[in-house]
Amino acid sequence: MLPISHDASSEQPANPKPQNPEVLYRKNLFNTLKPYLPFRHCRLWFFLAVLLQLLLLLYAPSILLSLSAASTPNPSPTIQNLTSSSTAATTIIPTNNNNNNNNPTTSGSCPYGEVYIYNLPPLFNSEIVKNCHDLNPWNSRCDALSNSGFGKTATGISKVVPENISPAWFWTDQFSTELIYHNRMMNYRCRTLEAESATAFYIPFYTGLAIEKYLFTSNSTAQERDQHCKMMLDWVSDQRYFKKSYCWDHFISMGRISWDFRRSKEEDWGSSCIYMPKMRNITRLLIERNPWDYFDVGIPYPTGFHPSSAHDVINWQEFVRSRRRNTLFCFAGATRGIIKNDFRGILLSQCYDESDSCRVVDCAGSKCANGTSEILSTFLDSDFCLQPRGDSFTRRSIFDCMVAGSIPVFFWHRSAYVQYEWFLPTEPESYSVFVDRNEVKNGTSIKSVLEKISKEKVKKMREKVVEVIPKIVYAKPNEGLEGIKDAFDVAVEGVLRRIKERKEGYKWK
């Protein structure tokens, strides 16, 4: 802000008005003659008065014109220069606030600010991955966690997809988002190495992987399932910026569903990580959120498609858009035998009864495990894909289906509509079909519902699904895709936007 200049003293006018030279000359002449004017003589005074009147009659017009011209405001070069100088002095010049020399950016490319990454002790991330053989009591998790969380290259996929796009496909595990987000964050264009300039703070703790071995061990204790989260919160709560903001500008990616971290009783399933007091204000990126918790943000499950360039995205979109589909609808899944009146069993029965219109991939056994392409092939050949709830309200199959250009059919609103608002269109009917599950249980034919949708409507819905694809996949390059925002970009920018809006509005403890 420019300093305010004080007015000059009233005794010394800052801008004295210049006097007319002719008036000055007459005043000086009168003062010079003044001693010689004998005012006692009336005749002489009368003569001078007449002479003065004659002079006024002769010269008054020219004097008035001169005074008029002097009072007319003409443009002043000096004033113009001052105005220009004043404007330049108050112009805001954008500055580069990014301190990551390896990935320079400008304020324009990070409109919501930058992220600082905490350098956590290795026991909270890298050491967990290093011990990948011991994470699961049944088999090794090392292949699934390899390649920065993308898993092994999807060999043999070229039989299903165009050969030029097959290198973008991997056997990706659905619980690998913690690695994917951490690796992308390290190269994020809006990362800063200076905590003072950060809008948000990212905690690279592999929460889901840390509890995995204890989730499936029958004799694990509540303390074992909570220990890593508690130690992490103790560590991060000692950091200056955690204390400064009461952690409301901190966020974390948690690679499992929200309910795995919401244990309320010691004997129940999962960890109590989310219920720990120090976790209260931390924003959590989860593949399934609790719709009633503001700090839970639903992010897409990772699929097998990880484009390396914008061309990969465009080529894939064109492939699924123009794909000839021979099946009206499909279902990939397995029954839940222990559940009475299992809804999945109803869907399977309808599909088997309508085999001319529905294609089934029964996931009992290993047909749906990572390393097979049968599900992708089924989705590519079908106009619609049935998406009932899984073990929880959401399932990865929703995103596998949409990436293949198939239109999802939902039976629970919580499967997508209140989960992934940042990623999916705001009008559910523009990209999906909703069928009330109770109507299906009462005998409504899914085939009859889908057959009533016109070909033109199906085409429009598929185009909407294809349009969404970039926002629900995770790109392969750690720097992201040039000119395209993938699921990671949308998620982190959304977090930054929320934090900045809270900063400018209100805070809480």
Side-chain angles (χ1 to χ4, degrees):
M1 190 173 185
L2 294 175
I4 301 173
S5 58
H6 299 284
D7 292 337
S9 169
S10 57
E11 297 178 1
Q12 294 287 337
N15 238 343
K17 184 178 179 180
Q19 295 190 18
N20 189 295
E22 186 175 354
V23 175
L24 286 173
Y25 172 76
R26 289 201 304 271
K27 285 184 177 180
N28 290 336
L29 179 62
F30 180 78
N31 290 333
T32 304
L33 294 175
K34 187 177 178 180
Y36 302 101
L37 293 177
F39 286 99
R40 296 186 303 267
H41 301 282
C42 293
R43 290 181 181 179
L44 180 59
W45 174 249
F46 176 77
F47 172 77
L48 290 174
V50 173
L51 180 61
L52 182 60
Q53 289 181 12
L54 290 173
L55 289 173
L56 287 173
L57 289 173
L58 290 172
Y59 294 104
S62 60
I63 293 172
L64 290 174
L65 284 173
S66 176
L67 290 173
S68 175
S71 64
T72 302
N74 291 321
S76 168
T78 305
I79 294 175
Q80 286 179 344
N81 290 338
L82 286 172
T83 304
S84 175
S85 175
S86 175
T87 303
T90 56
T91 300
I92 299 174
I93 302 173
T95 57
N96 182 357
N97 293 323
N98 189 0
N99 297 295
N100 183 358
N101 295 326
N102 295 324
N103 194 12
T105 186
T106 62
S107 58
S109 62
C110 301
Y112 303 109
E114 298 170 313
V115 181
Y116 179 80
I117 305 174
Y118 281 116
N119 185 22
L120 290 181
L123 70 93
F124 295 120
N125 41 53
S126 60
E127 284 188 8
I128 295 174
V129 176
K130 190 181 295 183
N131 296 318
C132 54
H133 288 294
D134 300 325
L135 292 181
N136 191 293
W138 300 297
N139 49 52
S140 171
R141 299 279 282 135
C142 294
D143 283 350
L145 302 180
S146 63
N147 199 11
S148 301
F150 294 127
K152 299 180 70 176
T153 302
T155 54
I157 200 78
S158 57
K159 297 176 182 178
V160 180
V161 305
E163 191 172 350
N164 65 327
I165 311 176
S166 62
W169 282 87
F170 299 81
W171 301 131
T172 304
D173 187 83
Q174 65 177 337
F175 300 125
S176 62
T177 55
E178 291 161 352
L179 276 80
I180 293 173
Y181 272 77
H182 189 189
N183 281 287
R184 282 290 300 278
M185 195 69 70
M186 295 295 288
N187 295 273
Y188 187 40
R189 70 180 187 281
C190 295
R191 178 192 175 191
T192 178
L193 301 180
E194 301 295 335
E196 292 79 7
S197 65
T199 297
F201 297 81
Y202 175 65
I203 307 170
F205 171 43
Y206 299 169
T207 328
L209 294 177
I211 66 167
E212 185 170 319
K213 68 181 295 183
Y214 303 108
L215 287 177
F216 304 106
T217 303
S218 59
N219 60 350
S220 68
T221 64
Q223 288 73 24
E224 287 176 322
R225 282 172 272 152
D226 290 346
Q227 61 181 346
H228 278 86
C229 185
K230 185 178 184 302
M231 286 190 296
M232 179 278 293
L233 289 172
D234 287 343
W235 184 93
V236 78
S237 63
D238 281 338
Q239 307 305 307
R240 172 187 173 189
Y241 292 94
F242 187 95
K243 297 176 180 178
K244 183 178 179 181
S245 66
Y246 301 99
C247 72
W248 57 262
D249 53 4
H250 286 55
F251 71 104
I252 188 173
S253 53
M254 304 175 80
R256 303 186 68 88
I257 66 174
S258 184
W259 315 107
D260 288 343
F261 309 103
R262 291 180 178 273
R263 191 194 72 246
S264 55
K265 298 178 182 178
E266 286 208 4
E267 63 272 18
D268 289 345
W269 165 272
S271 160
S272 64
C273 186
I274 287 179
Y275 289 143
M276 294 180 185
K278 294 175 183 176
M279 181 65 82
R280 177 185 174 190
N281 293 340
I282 297 175
T283 295
R284 305 171 287 269
L285 303 179
L286 300 138
I287 51 179
E288 179 177 326
R289 65 184 288 253
N290 175 0
W292 295 279
D293 190 331
Y294 172 82
F295 291 98
D296 274 12
V297 174
I299 60 173
Y301 282 75
T303 68
F305 181 50
H306 303 288
S308 294
S309 67
H311 289 295
D312 282 350
V313 176
I314 295 169
N315 289 338
W316 180 256
Q317 286 177 305
E318 184 54 35
F319 170 66
V320 299
R321 181 186 289 115
S322 59
R323 175 81 173 187
R324 183 176 179 179
R325 299 171 190 266
N326 302 314
T327 305
L328 178 62
F329 65 109
C330 67
F331 175 60
T335 60
R336 295 292 187 267
I338 60 173
I339 300 177
K340 187 179 179 180
N341 298 322
D342 176 33
F343 186 71
R344 288 185 172 205
I346 297 174
L347 297 183
L348 279 170
S349 295
Q350 283 207 19
C351 270
Y352 281 128
D353 291 342
E354 304 287 356
S355 57
D356 59 330
S357 301
C358 184
R359 181 170 166 179
V360 175
V361 180
D362 192 336
C363 290
S366 60
K367 285 185 179 180
C368 300
N370 288 337
T372 63
S373 56
E374 188 172 351
I375 293 178
L376 176 60
S377 176
T378 300
F379 289 155
L380 286 169
D381 288 340
S382 305
D383 281 326
F384 299 92
C385 57
L386 307 185
Q387 297 298 335
R389 59 171 292 171
D391 295 324
S392 60
F393 284 98
T394 65
R395 59 200 301 244
R396 167 179 160 161
S397 180
I398 295 169
F399 298 98
D400 289 333
C401 156
M402 295 183 68
V403 166
S406 191
I407 300 165
V409 180
F410 296 118
F411 306 91
W412 278 264
H413 284 96
R414 285 176 64 182
S415 291
Y417 303 151
V418 295
Q419 286 289 337
Y420 311 106
E421 293 99 326
W422 293 356
F423 306 88
L424 300 179
T426 53
E427 303 82 16
E429 67 280 0
S430 68
Y431 74 95
S432 68
V433 176
F434 182 80
V435 181
D436 191 290
R437 61 190 175 279
N438 293 315
E439 293 179 3
V440 177
K441 290 178 181 179
N442 291 330
T444 295
S445 166
I446 296 172
K447 177 184 176 180
S448 65
V449 172
L450 299 179
E451 280 183 330
K452 292 177 183 177
I453 303 174
S454 68
K455 291 184 178 180
E456 186 61 31
K457 174 67 173 174
V458 170
K459 184 179 179 181
K460 288 182 180 179
M461 294 172 75
R462 173 162 299 110
E463 188 56 42
K464 199 66 172 177
V465 169
V466 172
E467 178 186 311
V468 167
I469 289 175
K471 295 171 64 175
I472 60 174
V473 299
Y474 295 95
K476 179 68 171 73
N478 285 332
E479 298 79 11
L481 301 177
E482 186 175 354
I484 292 179
K485 292 181 181 179
D486 71 343
F488 171 87
D489 291 315
V490 174
V492 177
E493 188 171 296
V495 171
L496 283 166
R497 182 176 61 250
R498 288 210 314 180
I499 290 173
K500 186 172 183 179
E501 288 171 354
R502 289 207 303 265
K503 235 176 196 178
E504 294 173 350
Y506 59 91
K507 308 175 189 177
W508 58 90
K509 296 183 181 180

